[in-house]
Amino acid sequence: MEPVDKPSNFLRQIIERDLAQGTYANRRFAGHPADAAGHAAGQTDPARIRTRFPPEPNGYLHIGHAKSICLNFGLAQDFGGVCHLRFDDTNPEKEDQEYVDAILDAVHWLGFDWNADGVSHLFYASDDFDFMYRCACALIEHGLAYVDEQNADDMRRNRGTLTEPGVDSPWRNRTPEENLRRFEEMRAGQHPEGSMVLRAKIDMAAPNINLRDPAIYRIRFAHHHRTGDTWCIYPMYTFAHPIEDAMECISHSLCTLEFEDQRPFYDWLLDHLVRLGLVASPRPHQYEFARLNLTYVVTSKRKLAQLVAERHVDGWDDPRMPTLVGLRRRGYTPESLRLFTDRIGVSKADSWIDYSVLEQALRDDLDARAPRAMAVLDPLKLELTNWAEVFGNAAHAEPCSAPVHPGHPEMGRRQFDLTAQVWIEREDFMEVPPKGYHRLTPGGLARLKYGYVIRCTGCEKDADGRVTKVLAELLPDTKSGTPGADAVKVKGVITWVSASLGVAAQVRLFDRLFTEAHPDAGGRDFLAVLNPQSKQTVQAYIEPALATAPAGASFQFERHGYFVADRVDHSSAQPVFNRTTTLRDSWGK
């Protein structure tokens, strides 16, 4: 399989080089319990490359994870390989099956699958705890790991600084036999949490602090959501991750830049495990790319959890949240997110992507396929005072139609009726208009879209002087689509919904959650720049057919923007629509 025609980047170049050199062409499975979905030991790996997406199931995925998902699964698809979905569930205190289920759903929703050629490539770190323990014991036996009984403060103090070397632990020179006995006692639950850890024995004077005897196992008396109480020691992520890569025959382990300083330990560990015969060669290699930094967004799990816990938002799936469940409820489509990740590309340099780039990807996706509809978000009643005279019946309903999508005639036409009273937008009438105003004014003409030209004759007001109704006359023989309809020229065209046939709907107008492009820059309290206008709810009126729209269906409300029937609250009895995005970027203007 030749790679698809996509813009090149440094990761594609690495993969192309490895394929050209046959780096992983004759790699064989070693027979570990998780060997690439049960392939037999000694079998040649049929995949050209293997990537993986390794989330920790301790929260909901966000827009940054979407970049990683699209990158890992996309590269595997483009180069005829396989991408694994792996749950790095090594931290039982923070993990939950709820998050596992949400992650599975999110990956599928984005359009990707961990099944290939009838084989599932879904893995859990917890399935391989036995082998990780075996690797740890092998390191101890060969003098490459030791049990340290310093407390956390002493370990931190003795680790050194960027300019000063660390200090050897007083337990560093125990014999392998002593260390193995202590480690077995840790596993047996004979020591309290925090009393000891297992550390790799590397170099306490290493310039890279991550090589100064990093901890690789700690004691945790915590119930694991999959293994229960089988274990009371758990591997550190930096220890488990490279072992899982090797066991699954991953070829290209793609991480964000914050893991670059961890790569020397990744290499140190796998090189020793290859030498000890526990990991097959050629081993995986780690490559780092820049994470997604998006303006007007925070992606820290801690800060997102704070927004939810303190009820600044209405849950993890609040449409203002950058979580995938939130973006989905907002009306973002999988296609738009994949388009966005393609457009921002991949590099090794950190940079900021403006939120408008994400919104434009959504517009470009929805513009081509979202059905059109009319809705009135700030309703003002308009009465056609000569309706009975023109049609001979005050209750007459005049049929009108419009294309479902102006660019796709094959999608058909939608039908709705014009009646004597309609709802129009309040901003479409002004008694004293400014220069250049082309909508309704006393004595002025405008067209009801897909309907007739009307002449405004005045308005009615309440005791406070607020306009409560606009009065107008319909001009016969000006109906859109009929002969002579253009005989009367008008500059203004306004949208409307029948007052008697239109359906009341709750419409939620969502905007950016923060008022500043970098909400938490410089240690600032991100809550101080929450946008008080990020959610506004209005009582609107919509075309009758929209009431029966299925939850999750997207539409362009003509002139207003793109809206989606809420996945949770929308029903035919009580329609609820969320604004996904406006028709054009007007933020800050």
Side-chain angles (χ1 to χ4, degrees):
M1 175 183 289
E2 294 300 320
V4 298
D5 185 18
K6 288 189 176 182
S8 185
N9 57 58
F10 78 99
L11 292 176
R12 286 183 173 273
Q13 293 168 3
I14 289 170
I15 293 172
E16 289 166 353
R17 177 205 66 195
D18 288 343
L19 290 174
Q21 296 176 356
T23 303
Y24 298 99
N26 298 311
R27 188 174 47 167
R28 296 180 180 274
F29 300 115
H32 298 135
D35 259 339
H39 290 289
Q43 177 182 342
T44 300
D45 183 1
R48 288 158 59 90
I49 68 166
R50 286 184 187 268
T51 59
R52 83 290 170 272
F53 174 60
E56 182 182 0
N58 65 347
Y60 286 85
L61 300 185
H62 55 63
I63 183 66
H65 295 112
K67 176 180 178 179
S68 183
I69 292 170
C70 292
L71 180 63
N72 279 286
F73 280 91
L75 286 173
Q77 287 181 354
D78 293 347
F79 288 96
V82 174
C83 182
H84 298 186
L85 174 59
R86 176 207 305 151
F87 288 100
D88 271 307
D89 53 349
T90 57
N91 193 1
E93 295 160 309
K94 297 182 178 180
E95 295 157 0
D96 194 274
Q97 186 63 38
E98 173 190 354
Y99 302 131
V100 171
D101 296 339
I103 291 169
L104 294 172
D105 182 64
V107 174
H108 265 152
W109 175 69
L110 277 174
F112 299 107
D113 197 348
W114 48 88
N115 294 292
D117 299 322
V119 176
S120 172
H121 300 277
L122 175 63
F123 297 96
Y124 294 83
S126 54
D127 288 336
D128 306 320
F129 282 169
D130 284 323
F131 182 71
M132 293 176 194
Y133 181 81
R134 177 183 164 197
C135 290
C137 290
L139 293 177
I140 293 171
E141 291 166 357
H142 288 81
L144 298 170
Y146 64 97
V147 173
D148 191 352
E149 298 185 36
Q150 295 181 94
N151 61 43
D153 290 338
D154 287 341
M155 283 186 63
R156 191 179 303 109
R157 183 167 47 252
N158 292 334
R159 196 182 186 198
T161 67
L162 293 175
T163 57
E164 298 177 346
V167 176
D168 285 359
S169 164
W171 313 102
R172 195 173 193 267
N173 295 317
R174 275 176 163 162
T175 65
E177 292 75 17
E178 291 176 302
N179 281 310
L180 192 58
R181 177 176 57 81
R182 278 307 224 188
F183 190 48
E184 289 170 347
E185 290 172 358
M186 288 171 59
R187 180 181 182 177
Q190 296 177 16
H191 300 282
E193 288 188 13
S195 62
M196 54 185 65
V197 296
L198 182 67
R199 299 176 71 177
K201 191 174 184 179
I202 307 179
D203 182 1
M204 289 300 294
N208 184 337
I209 291 181
N210 294 293
L211 293 180
R212 294 181 187 175
D213 294 6
I216 58 178
Y217 262 91
R218 79 282 201 202
I219 301 170
R220 286 289 184 274
F221 292 100
H223 185 83
H224 192 282
H225 72 103
R226 297 190 76 244
T227 61
D229 298 317
T230 301
W231 294 88
C232 64
I233 57 170
Y234 291 95
M236 305 297 287
Y237 174 81
T238 52
F239 179 75
H241 173 71
I243 293 176
E244 294 163 67
D245 280 352
M247 294 176 72
E248 296 172 23
C249 282
I250 300 302
S251 56
H252 300 80
S253 183
L254 312 181
C255 304
T256 46
L257 279 176
E258 59 261 41
F259 292 98
E260 185 174 27
D261 288 343
Q262 294 287 354
R263 180 165 22 103
F265 177 68
Y266 183 101
D267 294 340
W268 178 91
L269 177 61
L270 289 187
D271 285 342
H272 279 296
L273 294 181
V274 167
R275 182 174 60 83
L276 295 175
L278 291 167
V279 164
S281 182
R283 65 167 178 82
H285 283 269
Q286 176 178 303
Y287 304 96
E288 303 85 20
F289 62 92
R291 62 176 294 171
L292 172 61
N293 296 307
L294 190 64
T295 60
Y296 298 97
V297 163
V298 296
T299 54
S300 158
K301 286 184 179 179
R302 179 184 61 81
K303 292 175 181 177
L304 294 177
Q306 185 179 351
L307 288 171
V308 174
E310 297 179 2
R311 301 193 175 185
H312 300 290
V313 294
D314 300 324
W316 288 99
D317 66 344
D318 186 302
R320 295 166 292 179
M321 290 280 276
T323 54
L324 295 187
V325 287
L327 290 167
R328 183 178 182 180
R329 192 170 179 185
R330 175 79 169 257
Y332 276 81
T333 62
E335 295 83 359
S336 68
L337 295 182
R338 295 200 299 268
L339 177 60
F340 170 68
T341 58
D342 282 345
R343 286 180 174 175
I344 62 176
V346 181
S347 73
K348 284 188 72 71
D350 273 328
S351 61
W352 283 91
I353 305 298
D354 193 81
Y355 195 85
S356 62
V357 178
L358 174 63
E359 291 179 316
Q360 191 56 49
L362 177 66
R363 292 188 191 101
D364 291 343
D365 177 52
L366 290 179
D367 179 62
R369 58 195 181 96
R372 276 37 174 180
M374 286 195 294
V376 176
L377 306 186
D378 187 11
L380 173 62
K381 187 165 287 187
L382 179 145
E383 182 176 346
L384 300 171
T385 57
N386 64 337
W387 186 265
E389 177 185 338
V390 172
F391 294 106
N393 182 357
H396 173 75
E398 179 69 7
C400 299
S401 73
V404 172
H405 191 295
H408 296 286
E410 72 279 4
M411 294 176 68
R413 299 185 67 81
R414 62 189 204 267
Q415 309 296 324
F416 43 89
D417 291 335
L418 178 64
T419 54
Q421 293 190 342
V422 298
W423 296 109
I424 63 172
E425 296 291 344
R426 182 166 291 275
E427 68 178 13
D428 286 346
F429 171 77
M430 294 188 71
E431 282 191 282
V432 184
K435 185 178 180 179
Y437 185 81
H438 297 303
R439 299 170 197 170
L440 285 175
T441 62
L445 298 175
R447 178 179 291 281
L448 295 176
K449 196 169 189 180
Y450 310 120
Y452 289 84
V453 174
I454 61 174
R455 177 183 290 108
C456 179
T457 59
C459 65
E460 296 178 0
K461 301 179 181 179
D462 62 17
D464 296 323
R466 178 178 170 84
V467 176
T468 57
K469 183 188 292 185
V470 177
L471 305 175
E473 292 180 342
L474 179 148
L475 276 59
D477 302 322
T478 60
K479 185 179 181 182
S480 295
T482 63
D486 296 331
V488 180
K489 302 295 184 181
V490 296
K491 292 184 177 180
V493 179
I494 61 179
T495 52
W496 55 275
V497 171
S498 166
S500 57
L501 302 176
V503 176
Q506 182 185 110
V507 174
R508 299 161 179 169
L509 303 176
F510 291 108
D511 210 334
R512 300 181 188 183
L513 187 56
F514 299 98
T515 58
E516 296 289 336
H518 306 288
D520 50 0
R524 172 172 55 194
D525 178 8
F526 69 106
L527 298 178
V529 292
L530 281 170
N531 179 8
Q533 303 300 317
S534 63
K535 178 184 178 181
Q536 301 179 67
T537 301
V538 299
Q539 186 69 20
Y541 291 93
I542 58 177
E543 283 185 26
L546 286 178
T548 60
S554 293
F555 299 87
Q556 184 195 101
F557 286 0
E558 298 188 33
R559 104 185 229 190
H560 291 300
Y562 295 97
F563 292 74
V564 65
D566 188 82
R567 296 182 65 224
V568 177
D569 298 328
H570 174 79
S571 68
S572 58
Q574 176 54 65
V576 177
F577 285 86
N578 301 327
R579 182 172 67 188
T580 308
T581 189
T582 54
L583 289 176
R584 59 188 60 84
D585 181 21
S586 59
W587 179 258
K589 297 178 182 178

